[in-house]
């Protein structure tokens, strides 16, 4: 199979059929073998009914239905697990991403040998409350990740070699950082393509506001820490704990010597309590690193989602 199109969605009943018809026209025009995987992320409208109707009309349509709303990252994770195409394309279901971009994205993966190609919505049709946080977020993400050539980390329209999606773990809300996850997994041939961004045709965006901006930074901090110390938490917690304990212990020895020399009564000095606190905190940090190492080696259920039905 040439292409798998993975489409996470939440309450997009108006656009699903139109989007599939558009994808179908593009695929037939270029002779691609393909599948379209819709993931209904706890939708409460008729989204799943429409997916079932499309499947009855076309065997290329597949679907995954979550029992409740988990978020975009879990939807992508499950879609990636089902994808069989040599190239995997992700796009949003709101018709703001154009399926006409698919042939060129496919070519860049197959001919230019990119591992991942990310869309860049150079001209956006979004409100300021969405575009301004996005610009700030992308500037920070470029600096932290070291992927200098990407302008839009969070663009839903991306293309991947199949090996990439099968070897990265998208969880929580880490879909914003898939290029960073791919780079950490060793897939560092990452390209960018300017793509057409259309104004939303139906409904309103489910992801807007400054809370999304703040959460994005928290997720970026998490990913940076996990990519740096995720497999070796003892290296950071153990080091900080040992350092604090050592400083506290040295201070305690100095106070003890002063006591023996009759200069001070040890508990009269505030430095005694500071030293004791540092030794306690140092021990706790050291144990945190030790427990983190144990947990990182035995986490099995990070991506355990309740799937109600699969077509």
């Amino acid at each position: 199979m040439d292409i798998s199109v993975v489409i996470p969605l939440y309450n997009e009943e108006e656009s699903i059929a139109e989007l599939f018809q558009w994808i179908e026209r593009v695929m037939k025009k270029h002779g691609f073998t393909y599948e379209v995987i819709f993931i209904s992320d706890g939708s409460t409208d008729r989204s799943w009914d429409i997916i079932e109707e499309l499947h009855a009309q076309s065997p290329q349509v597949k679907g995954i239905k979550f029992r409740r709303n988990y978020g975009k990252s879990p939807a992508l994770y499950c879609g990636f697990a089902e994808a069989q195409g040599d190239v995997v394309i992700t796009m949003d279901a709101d018709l703001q991403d154009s399926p006409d971009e698919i042939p060129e994205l496919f070519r860049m993966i197959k001919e230019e040998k990119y591992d991942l190609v990310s869309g860049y919505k150079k001209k956006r049709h979004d409100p300021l409350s969405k575009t301004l946080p996005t610009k700030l977020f992308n500037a920070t993400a470029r600096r932290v990740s070291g992927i200098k050539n990407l302008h839009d980390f969070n663009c839903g329209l991306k293309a991947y070699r199949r090996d990439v999606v099968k070897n990265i773990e998208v969880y929580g809300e880490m879909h914003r950082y898939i290029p960073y996850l791919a780079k950490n997994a060793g897939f560092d041939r990452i390209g960018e393509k300017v793509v057409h961004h259309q104004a939303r045709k139906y409904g309103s965006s489910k992801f807007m506001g400054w809370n999304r901006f703040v959460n994005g930074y928290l997720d970026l901090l998490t990913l940076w820490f996990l990519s740096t110390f995720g497999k070796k938490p003892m290296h950071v917690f153990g080091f900080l704990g040992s350092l604090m304990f050592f400083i506290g212990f040295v201070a305690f020895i100095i106070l003890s010597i002063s006591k023996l020399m009759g200069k001070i009564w040890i508990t009269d000095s505030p430095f005694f309590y500071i030293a004791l606190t540092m030794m306690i905190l140092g021990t706790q940090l050291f144990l945190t690193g030790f427990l983190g190492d144990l947990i990182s080696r035995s986490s099995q259920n990070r991506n355990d989602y309740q799937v109600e039905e699969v077509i």
Side-chain angles (χ1 to χ4, degrees):
M1 185 182 295
D2 294 322
I3 297 173
S4 294
V5 183
V6 176
I7 305 174
L9 61 98
Y10 176 68
N11 290 346
E12 298 286 358
E13 61 181 358
E14 303 96 340
S15 60
I16 295 172
E18 186 175 339
L19 176 60
F20 174 68
Q21 291 166 5
W22 192 353
I23 293 172
E24 188 177 42
R25 287 197 304 271
V26 171
M27 296 299 185
K28 287 181 177 179
K29 179 180 178 181
H30 292 85
F32 293 132
T33 54
Y34 70 100
E35 63 182 357
V36 180
I37 305 172
F38 291 101
I39 305 95
S40 178
D41 183 23
S43 297
T44 56
D45 62 1
R46 291 192 65 254
S47 292
W48 184 250
D49 295 334
I50 294 169
I51 293 168
E52 289 182 316
E53 292 168 5
L54 290 173
H55 173 71
Q57 299 167 14
S58 173
Q60 281 80 22
V61 175
K62 301 180 180 179
I64 299 171
K65 181 183 181 183
F66 286 171
R67 290 188 182 276
R68 66 174 181 84
N69 181 257
Y70 285 103
K72 190 172 183 178
S73 290
L76 287 174
Y77 175 83
C78 292
F80 288 163
E82 293 294 326
Q84 300 176 41
D86 291 338
V87 175
V88 178
I89 306 284
T90 60
M91 63 172 51
D92 295 334
D94 55 12
L95 295 174
Q96 290 191 280
D97 295 330
S98 171
D100 290 330
E101 306 284 358
I102 290 175
E104 179 61 15
L105 290 170
F106 179 83
R107 187 198 67 78
M108 292 177 73
I109 296 292
K110 299 295 283 186
E111 296 182 13
E112 298 185 30
K113 306 300 182 184
Y114 283 109
D115 295 316
L116 184 158
V117 178
S118 181
Y120 172 29
K121 299 172 183 177
K122 196 170 185 178
K123 183 179 181 181
R124 300 182 67 97
H125 297 277
D126 286 324
L128 188 63
S129 61
K130 191 173 181 179
T131 56
L132 182 58
T134 296
K135 288 182 180 295
L136 295 173
F137 157 75
N138 282 314
T140 305
R142 280 194 299 271
R143 186 170 185 84
V144 172
S145 68
I147 307 175
K148 305 296 186 182
N149 62 316
L150 290 193
H151 294 84
D152 192 355
F153 278 71
N154 198 30
C155 178
L157 185 57
K158 289 184 173 67
Y160 314 80
R161 282 198 301 111
R162 181 170 55 187
D163 285 351
V164 176
V165 302
K166 300 299 184 183
N167 286 282
I168 60 174
E169 184 183 21
V170 188
Y171 62 94
E173 293 191 24
M174 292 299 177
H175 59 275
R176 301 180 179 98
Y177 306 105
I178 289 181
Y180 195 5
L181 292 171
K183 179 186 175 185
N184 289 338
F187 300 102
D188 54 5
R189 287 188 55 80
I190 298 172
E192 183 175 73
K193 180 186 182 302
V194 175
V195 297
H196 179 62
H197 184 231
Q198 304 182 125
R200 189 177 179 90
K201 188 173 182 179
Y202 303 106
S204 58
S205 175
K206 281 74 175 179
F207 305 98
M208 293 179 63
W210 286 90
N211 61 321
R212 181 169 172 262
F213 174 66
V214 174
N215 290 339
Y217 272 106
L218 293 177
D219 288 338
L220 182 59
L221 183 61
T222 299
L223 184 55
W224 172 81
F225 181 84
L226 289 174
S227 65
T228 308
F229 301 109
K231 300 295 184 183
K232 45 187 179 182
M234 192 58 154
H235 287 202
V236 59
F237 289 110
F239 170 75
L240 291 175
S242 299
L243 180 63
M244 291 188 70
F245 185 90
F246 177 75
I247 293 173
F249 183 73
V250 169
F252 183 77
I253 293 297
I254 293 172
L255 290 170
S256 298
I257 293 173
S258 299
K259 160 65 178 169
L260 292 175
M261 295 176 65
K263 293 183 177 180
I264 62 168
W265 182 252
I266 191 169
T267 55
D268 287 343
S269 172
F271 292 107
F272 167 76
Y273 299 100
I274 295 173
L276 186 62
T277 300
M278 291 190 70
M279 291 173 67
I280 293 172
L281 289 176
T283 302
Q284 290 178 329
L285 283 170
F286 187 88
L287 290 175
T288 298
F290 179 70
L291 292 173
D293 260 358
L294 292 178
I295 292 170
S296 69
R297 297 171 192 273
S298 58
S299 178
Q300 300 293 327
N301 301 313
R302 176 180 282 166
N303 279 304
D304 185 15
Y305 307 113
Q306 293 296 315
V307 175
E308 181 178 349
E309 190 174 350
V310 174
I311 298 176

